[in-house]
Amino acid sequence: MKNIFLLFFLIIICLTVKAQNNIVSGKISGKVTDAVTKQPVDYATVSIYKQGSISPFNGASTDPKGNFTINNIPPGDYSLTVDFLGYKQQKIAHVIVSDITKNVSLGEILLAPLQSQLKEVAITAKIPAVENKIDKMVYNPANDLSAQGGTATDILKKVPMVSVDMDGNVELMGNANIRFLINGKPSSIFGASLADALQSIPASQIQSIEVITNPGAKYDAEGTGGIINIILKESKIQGINGTVNLSAGTRFENGSLNLNARKGNFGVNAFFNGNEQLSTNTLTNSNRTSYNNTRDTITRLNQKGNNVFKRSGYQSGISFNWDITPKDQLTASVNFNHFGNNNTGSINQDQSTFATLTNSTIDQKSINYSNSRFSANSTDWSLAYKKTFSKKDQELDVLYHASYGSNTNNYSQLQNYTNVNKSSVGSIGNNPGTDKETDISIDYTQPVTDNFTIETGAKTVIENLGNTVATQSLTNGVYIPNPFQTYSFNYKRNIYAYYLSTNLSLFHNFLDVKGGLRYEYTTSTYDLSSDLRNTVIPSYGILVPSFVLSHKLDKTQTIKFSYSYRLERPDYRSLNPFLIINDAYDISTGNPNLKPELGHNFELGYNKSFDKGANIYIAGFYRYNTNDLQSFTTVTNLTIGGIPYNNVAFTQRYNIGRETTEGINLYGSLPITKKLSIRSNMFFADRISNTPGFAQTSGFMYRINMNGSYDFGNDFAGEFFVNYRSSQITIQGTSPAFAFYNLAVRKQFMNKKLSLGITAANPFNKYVNLNAYTFGPNFNQTSLRQIPLQSFGVTLSYKFGKLEFKKENNKEDNAPVPDDNGGGK
């Protein structure tokens, strides 16, 4: 792997040296404004032509404030055009760049709106699937056919640098400790169950997904793996419009409705969606061999069974946007989320214990029946105020955001012995919990010069987590309250943060720099009713540096280097000490004494764009974590509330040593013809874990996928997607390898307002087989899970409404939503 890094660095150095011979410092900048409303026009296209040429040789798009800058312009006489839908083209005949006047500022460029308004128009803006920006990568699923009718999980499987396993667990560059946001804000929906939360968001609701591997100082320091920000659809176009999406299939069903209305300086966006994963039956089979301390007794356990799983959820929300004045904006929103699942299983268990000293064998057969019903609700509301000033890019943002979540888990498990005279073991329980979080932040941006900007801000986060457990155990055929498994757990955490960062250009725009420092101070307490005490966890402060250095080799090539220091605070599920008895041989619990995981992240990236739309991005990375948070399993004997549990796989989270991950991510897109295009993402990494008391573990892992799309003409298109993820070596074995593939077609009608699609997941294979191996000091285990992934579905989408192209001080419908969570996201 180190050789890969060396080769990668040599390639970058060669490209840099080659580019130095062509470095120029000419620059053209300006600001595009609506001639009537005097509001900035964002995402307008600015093109530069050599005199007499009909094809532009360079260009840019305006930012949300209407500004644009085009670098690397050699001396000469040029013409410049500015275009945007619904406006007359503006042309400047002569723009002269010389050795004396290298930086040309065109000042304010006015665009005049067209007098005739368009009615019942379908917008088909073509945006790239992947956009690589200085501090993030953006995936736009607008034309993602195989994910239509799916959920956020299906889209994440296609995002570069992101990997999703068959249980919905997400990794970013091989790290599962990710900070998830919705529209730049945290949500308690992710606290109860991340996999269920992602499955409850329909793909049709998602406008884009932002991946930030090295977040800047403005973002929360939480998440050693980085940040994934899910941007939901929202229209900022004048008029009334909306979208209806429906899908039905053999495995998933969902529907969504988006309604948008905007008149003048006031807009309303509302949505409702719901989805259901129909019942699926997963087959399981495992074999475990364990030994006592003196290794004179061997116990073999075979478990074979099935698990029927069903999931459902819905979301709704409404937001209001009011431009009080051209420089004052107020935004308010309320969202409600619900999801739940039902899990029913049965396992045939055969345990054989052989004593070598007596040469005797005891065989014990049993059947375990289990059922759990989980339900989670969360409500998020926010109020944001944005103030701009006469000075370009000067801005003040104030945000209040609150999230309240409640969840309930009702469960039961019963163990019946079939060949021995032994009483059945069972329990039933009710486990309600709450999750409250309040964020208050303020951010301020102050431009010092055209190439130097300072940002600063502060944030307070107040978290309160509560959980109550009431358990009844089976005793002499009757369920009675179990005081050893009945208690309450409350956890409180406050975080106070301040940051200072800067954006600047150095050496005549040779190097763009974004860097900053963030300080976070955390206080925590928890109490267990069974202990009748309040425990204060030592408070701690952390200083978090981060930076991004970016250099544009030419108009088609960019190189960047970034670093961030991050931490991962243990989540609620990892802290809760409640014993989860999956069956008599499988028990897990949380650990309220966990410490934060700390991580250093380095990344070197190179991006190259080619003629006709091809693009590649290469990223080499190095990550070093301490206090590494990992689950660890031991096989032991337990007594819980007077009930013995023998030969139990007991799993708990610990701060285990150090972990180092180094690797490379390759992304490429290629339009082979005007109709056929492909894109691929390849991830290769080596992970080394050092755990005190255990041998060092090292394992190579990789993930490869490919997506191809073909335009048959007449608004008819098809797509395929193939994904393979290798097995991974862990501190206690190997996680399973797996592969899957999707096919999809879509036909559009009525000027692309109506679309009909057909999707198929693993159409020729009913199951995906997951083989895993686990070992410990006194046991080893092999397991097989067969997940029924095969499914077929039909999707329907309809766009309606009257659109008026009157530009406001906001992004267009297909543009990415700006980051709006101040003081850290």
Side-chain angles (χ1 to χ4, degrees):
M1 182 54 66
K2 292 181 180 178
N3 292 332
I4 294 176
F5 264 101
L6 180 60
L7 178 61
F8 180 53
F9 274 93
L10 289 175
I11 293 173
I12 296 301
I13 291 171
C14 292
L15 291 170
T16 304
V17 172
K18 178 181 177 182
Q20 303 309 306
N21 297 325
N22 300 318
I23 291 175
V24 293
S25 57
K27 179 177 71 173
I28 298 175
S29 61
K31 181 175 183 177
V32 181
T33 304
D34 187 302
V36 177
T37 66
K38 304 303 180 183
Q39 297 292 329
V41 178
D42 57 335
Y43 278 80
T45 301
V46 183
S47 304
I48 298 179
Y49 300 78
K50 296 180 180 179
Q51 293 294 346
S53 175
I54 60 174
S55 299
F57 82 95
N58 206 337
S61 296
T62 57
D63 64 18
K65 298 171 184 177
N67 301 313
F68 69 89
T69 299
I70 306 173
N71 297 308
N72 298 328
I73 306 298
D77 185 2
Y78 307 98
S79 62
L80 180 144
T81 62
V82 182
D83 298 271
F84 190 77
L85 190 63
Y87 290 85
K88 295 178 181 178
Q89 184 188 73
Q90 177 68 276
K91 182 176 182 179
I92 301 176
H94 294 280
V95 180
I96 298 175
V97 178
S98 65
D99 292 335
I100 299 175
T101 310
K102 295 181 179 180
N103 298 332
V104 179
S105 177
L106 300 177
E108 188 175 47
I109 302 173
L110 300 178
L111 285 189
L114 294 173
Q115 296 302 314
S116 58
Q117 292 182 333
L118 305 178
K119 299 181 179 180
E120 300 294 334
V121 178
I123 303 176
T124 57
K126 187 70 173 179
I127 55 177
V130 176
E131 298 176 88
N132 186 27
K133 301 185 178 182
I134 184 173
D135 59 348
K136 70 183 73 173
M137 183 170 284
V138 182
Y139 181 75
N140 300 300
N143 296 306
D144 193 332
L145 303 188
S146 59
Q148 59 185 339
T151 65
T153 303
D154 299 298
I155 294 181
L156 283 168
K157 293 173 182 177
K158 296 188 174 184
V159 177
M161 299 183 288
V162 175
S163 178
V164 184
D165 68 16
M166 298 307 300
D167 295 314
N169 301 307
V170 184
E171 290 185 349
L172 178 55
M173 282 194 169
N175 192 320
N177 297 324
I178 306 167
R179 173 75 159 170
F180 273 87
L181 305 173
I182 295 180
N183 291 338
K185 305 179 184 70
S187 174
S188 59
I189 186 178
F190 295 125
S193 171
L194 176 61
D196 283 321
L198 293 173
Q199 288 279 5
S200 71
I201 304 174
S204 59
Q205 282 293 118
I206 297 176
Q207 178 172 288
S208 63
I209 292 180
E210 299 176 346
V211 174
I212 310 171
T213 52
N214 280 313
K218 190 175 182 179
Y219 293 87
D220 287 346
E222 181 82 16
T224 53
I227 291 174
I228 292 180
N229 185 23
I230 300 174
I231 305 296
L232 302 181
K233 288 181 177 178
E234 184 179 42
S235 175
K236 299 294 182 67
I237 298 176
Q238 290 283 333
I240 300 175
N241 58 88
T243 306
V244 177
N245 296 279
L246 299 171
S247 69
T250 59
R251 194 162 182 254
F252 288 103
E253 295 178 346
N254 66 50
S256 65
L257 169 65
N258 286 71
L259 184 63
N260 312 290
R262 188 167 186 87
K263 183 67 174 178
N265 62 351
F266 188 77
V268 180
N269 299 85
F271 72 91
F272 178 83
N273 62 68
N275 68 79
E276 181 176 14
Q277 176 183 322
L278 306 179
S279 294
T280 57
N281 187 15
T282 298
L283 308 180
T284 60
N285 193 347
S286 69
N287 290 281
R288 185 172 77 211
T289 302
S290 58
Y291 309 87
N292 65 351
N293 292 334
T294 56
R295 287 193 168 251
D296 56 18
T297 301
I298 304 172
T299 302
R300 292 182 173 87
L301 174 66
N302 172 257
Q303 296 178 302
K304 186 175 183 179
N306 71 299
N307 186 67
V308 179
F309 183 80
K310 183 178 181 180
R311 175 191 284 124
S312 62
Y314 60 85
Q315 298 176 311
S316 64
I318 187 168
S319 64
F320 304 90
N321 181 271
W322 180 27
D323 294 328
I324 305 171
T325 71
K327 297 183 183 299
D328 297 273
Q329 183 184 90
L330 193 66
T331 303
S333 65
V334 179
N335 293 336
F336 178 77
N337 310 278
H338 166 80
F339 61 81
N341 61 57
N342 185 10
N343 206 328
T344 302
S346 63
I347 303 175
N348 291 291
Q349 301 171 324
D350 186 354
Q351 178 176 281
S352 176
T353 303
F354 175 70
T356 58
L357 296 179
T358 61
N359 197 29
S360 61
T361 300
I362 300 175
D363 190 42
Q364 181 174 279
K365 299 180 185 294
S366 62
I367 302 177
N368 181 269
Y369 302 95
S370 62
N371 176 265
S372 66
R373 292 179 179 271
F374 178 78
S375 176
N377 300 290
S378 71
T379 303
D380 303 328
W381 56 91
S382 65
L383 182 65
Y385 169 73
K386 177 178 290 187
K387 170 74 175 178
T388 57
F389 302 85
S390 298
K391 189 170 185 178
K392 173 186 171 184
D393 295 334
Q394 185 180 5
E395 186 175 295
L396 174 69
D397 294 275
V398 181
L399 173 67
Y400 173 85
H401 176 77
S403 184
Y404 175 78
S406 62
N407 58 81
T408 301
N409 184 25
N410 296 307
Y411 72 94
S412 66
Q413 69 91 17
L414 176 65
Q415 187 103 357
N416 289 330
Y417 296 92
T418 58
N419 72 327
V420 293
N421 185 19
K422 189 174 182 179
S423 299
S424 297
V425 177
S427 62
I428 57 177
N430 176 260
N431 181 202
T434 59
D435 182 355
K436 302 176 183 178
E437 180 175 333
T438 301
D439 298 6
I440 303 173
S441 62
I442 181 169
D443 300 272
Y444 178 70
T445 303
Q446 176 65 56
V448 180
T449 67
D450 289 342
N451 296 323
F452 180 39
T453 301
I454 295 176
E455 294 181 293
T456 187
K459 182 177 182 180
T460 298
V461 179
I462 302 171
E463 295 180 89
N464 287 279
L465 307 174
N467 184 260
T468 301
V469 180
T471 304
Q472 298 181 60
S473 298
L474 184 63
T475 304
N476 298 323
V478 179
Y479 285 96
I480 61 175
N482 184 343
F484 300 97
Q485 277 289 281
T486 299
Y487 63 91
S488 63
F489 173 69
N490 297 288
Y491 187 87
K492 297 180 180 180
R493 179 164 57 198
N494 295 339
I495 304 169
Y496 308 96
Y498 173 77
Y499 75 92
L500 180 67
S501 64
T502 181
N503 300 336
L504 69 158
S505 296
L506 300 174
F507 314 118
H508 302 289
N509 300 310
F510 175 81
L511 190 67
D512 292 322
V513 180
K514 297 184 70 173
L517 286 171
R518 182 183 184 89
Y519 180 77
E520 293 189 352
Y521 185 77
T522 304
T523 63
S524 305
T525 61
Y526 75 85
D527 65 82
L528 280 168
S529 62
S530 59
D531 291 345
L532 298 176
R533 68 184 184 192
N534 183 278
T535 302
V536 177
I537 301 173
S539 301
Y540 58 91
I542 182 171
L543 187 64
V544 183
S546 62
F547 65 82
V548 181
L549 307 178
S550 176
H551 170 59
K552 193 170 185 178
L553 302 174
D554 56 37
K555 67 177 182 179
T556 65
Q557 300 181 87
T558 303
I559 182 175
K560 66 179 181 180
F561 176 70
S562 60
Y563 165 78
S564 66
Y565 184 47
R566 310 281 296 165
L567 82 161
E568 176 67 20
R569 298 180 180 91
D571 61 18
Y572 173 70
R573 288 164 294 176
S574 299
L575 296 167
N576 191 347
F578 172 63
L579 291 170
I580 301 175
I581 305 175
N582 300 305
D583 60 60
Y585 301 106
D586 185 7
I587 299 175
S588 60
T589 187
N591 181 358
N593 296 313
L594 290 174
K595 300 176 182 179
E597 175 182 300
L598 303 174
H600 297 270
N601 300 338
F602 299 86
E603 183 179 339
L604 178 64
Y606 169 74
N607 185 72
K608 168 72 174 177
S609 299
F610 300 87
D611 294 337
K612 299 182 181 179
N615 179 271
I616 61 170
Y617 179 69
I618 306 172
F621 65 92
Y622 174 84
R623 297 188 168 188
Y624 175 75
N625 294 342
T626 58
N627 286 338
D628 196 42
L629 289 169
Q630 296 216 33
S631 295
F632 193 82
T633 300
T634 57
V635 173
T636 185
N637 299 326
L638 297 174
T639 299
I640 303 173
I643 301 175
Y645 291 87
N646 297 321
N647 191 35
V648 173
F650 184 70
T651 303
Q652 190 173 18
R653 293 264 277 179
Y654 298 91
N655 292 108
I656 298 178
R658 306 181 306 276
E659 181 179 271
T660 301
T661 306
E662 54 185 14
I664 189 169
N665 191 90
L666 309 173
Y667 169 80
S669 62
L670 176 65
I672 298 177
T673 68
K674 291 184 178 180
K675 293 182 177 294
L676 176 63
S677 64
I678 61 172
R679 66 177 186 268
S680 177
N681 188 77
M682 293 177 284
F683 172 82
F684 306 92
D686 184 52
R687 177 184 292 164
I688 301 173
S689 297
N690 291 280
T691 305
F694 294 88
Q696 182 187 85
T697 60
S698 176
F700 181 73
M701 57 183 173
Y702 62 94
R703 175 219 177 196
I704 300 175
N705 67 36
M706 177 173 288
N707 192 96
S709 59
Y710 189 82
D711 185 354
F712 295 97
N714 297 317
D715 297 327
F716 182 59
E719 181 181 276
F720 73 88
F721 177 67
V722 180
N723 181 85
Y724 177 79
R725 173 172 155 170
S726 72
S727 63
Q728 300 182 25
I729 295 178
T730 67
I731 61 173
Q732 282 194 279
T734 59
S735 62
F738 62 87
F740 63 86
Y741 55 97
N742 298 333
L743 304 172
V745 293
R746 182 180 68 184
K747 171 66 176 176
Q748 295 177 305
F749 307 90
M750 300 170 59
N751 197 22
K752 298 186 178 181
K753 288 184 177 181
L754 177 67
S755 65
L756 179 66
I758 299 175
T759 61
N762 271 36
F764 306 111
N765 302 85
K766 183 176 181 180
Y767 294 101
V768 172
N769 296 326
L770 304 179
N771 290 284
Y773 174 70
T774 308
F775 68 89
N778 64 335
F779 80 97
N780 60 77
Q781 176 176 304
T782 60
S783 62
L784 168 66
R785 284 196 303 149
Q786 295 179 284
I787 299 178
L789 191 64
Q790 184 185 69
S791 65
F792 303 90
V794 178
T795 65
L796 179 69
S797 178
Y798 178 67
K799 301 176 182 178
F800 62 89
K802 176 182 177 181
L803 308 180
E804 301 175 5
F805 293 96
K806 183 177 179 182
K807 187 65 183 174
E808 294 293 326
N809 185 26
N810 291 295
K811 291 184 181 288
E812 60 182 288
D813 191 30
N814 286 321
V817 175
D819 298 328
D820 59 356
N821 183 27
K825 305 182 181 184

